[in-house]
Amino acid sequence: MDFYSIFKFLHVMSAIAWLGGGLTFFALALMYGMRKDFASLNSAVNHVAFLGPRWFVPTSLLTLMFGLMTTFLGNLWGDAWVVLGLFGFAGTFSTGLFAIKPLSEAIAARNAEGRPDLAAPLGARIMQISKFDYVLMALVIALMVLKPTWGDVLVLAIMATVLVLAAVVFLGTGFKPADEQATPAE
């Protein structure tokens, strides 16, 4: 066994920990939302807010660190799937840090204030952003598995189309600040 294989294993394991944890909460939120169980949904969002800096950020950074070591050891810096995967990582990490984290903290704060009515619109928005984020993550996983080259124009075009469609469908009006979304309709 060589260092490349060891770091590749650690990269995959940390990615599983990061994505698996997020997908579990995403699935819970979908199920609670379908059942209209808003108390459980709010509880799940509170857990996400708690786990963000304690689980999701560290495991995502470990995924990046081990991936960079694997890339270095394998001399893969110019490969399309590596370059695009790094952009995908940057996108999903930024989405989590600058959109999902502040929204989940705002939801937790409103729940702590006893105002779940103000948390509900934020919960709907976080779900839309999460749907986009998981499409982006799925595309990064597809890059890692399919390993397209710069010459695989059709594959790259399909992936780009999926990403743009996901942005249009799930993000719609874009990333609004949490305070704008928390204003109840009059």
Side-chain angles (χ1 to χ4, degrees):
M1 184 176 320
D2 58 0
F3 282 115
Y4 174 84
S5 298
I6 292 168
F7 280 105
K8 184 177 178 182
F9 169 76
L10 293 171
H11 172 67
V12 171
M13 287 304 297
S14 56
I16 289 169
W18 173 32
L19 300 175
L23 276 172
T24 300
F25 277 106
F26 182 73
L28 274 174
L30 283 176
M31 288 183 246
Y32 292 147
M34 289 178 1
R35 291 184 3 208
K36 307 246 187 274
D37 183 354
F38 299 114
S40 295
L41 179 59
N42 284 336
S43 176
V45 171
N46 286 339
H47 289 359
V48 169
F50 174 79
L51 287 172
R54 293 167 181 86
W55 182 261
F56 296 115
V57 170
T59 55
S60 66
L61 291 175
L62 284 172
T63 301
L64 175 64
M65 181 184 74
F66 293 136
L68 290 173
M69 284 302 299
T70 304
T71 300
F72 173 75
L73 292 169
N75 195 26
L76 304 169
W77 293 108
D79 291 4
W81 61 277
V82 171
V83 173
L84 296 173
L86 285 169
F87 277 110
F89 171 85
T92 190
F93 187 82
S94 297
T95 300
L97 188 62
F98 299 116
I100 294 172
K101 178 182 179 284
L103 282 170
S104 63
E105 289 172 347
I107 291 168
R110 281 162 182 80
N111 286 334
E113 295 165 358
R115 298 297 315 261
D117 56 318
L118 294 179
L122 298 175
R125 188 66 188 149
I126 205 170
M127 286 304 295
Q128 290 303 105
I129 294 169
S130 294
K131 289 173 187 177
F132 169 77
D133 194 45
Y134 279 101
V135 169
L136 179 56
M137 287 186 199
L139 289 170
V140 171
I141 292 168
L143 286 167
M144 300 298 119
V145 172
L146 301 174
K147 296 180 176 23
T149 66
W150 293 113
D152 292 322
V153 177
L154 181 61
V155 173
L156 297 175
I158 290 170
M159 292 177 133
T161 301
V162 168
L163 185 62
V164 169
L165 288 173
V168 169
V169 170
F170 297 129
L171 299 181
T173 60
F175 296 103
K176 291 181 182 178
D179 291 337
E180 285 182 30
Q181 294 184 34
T183 307
E186 298 184 303

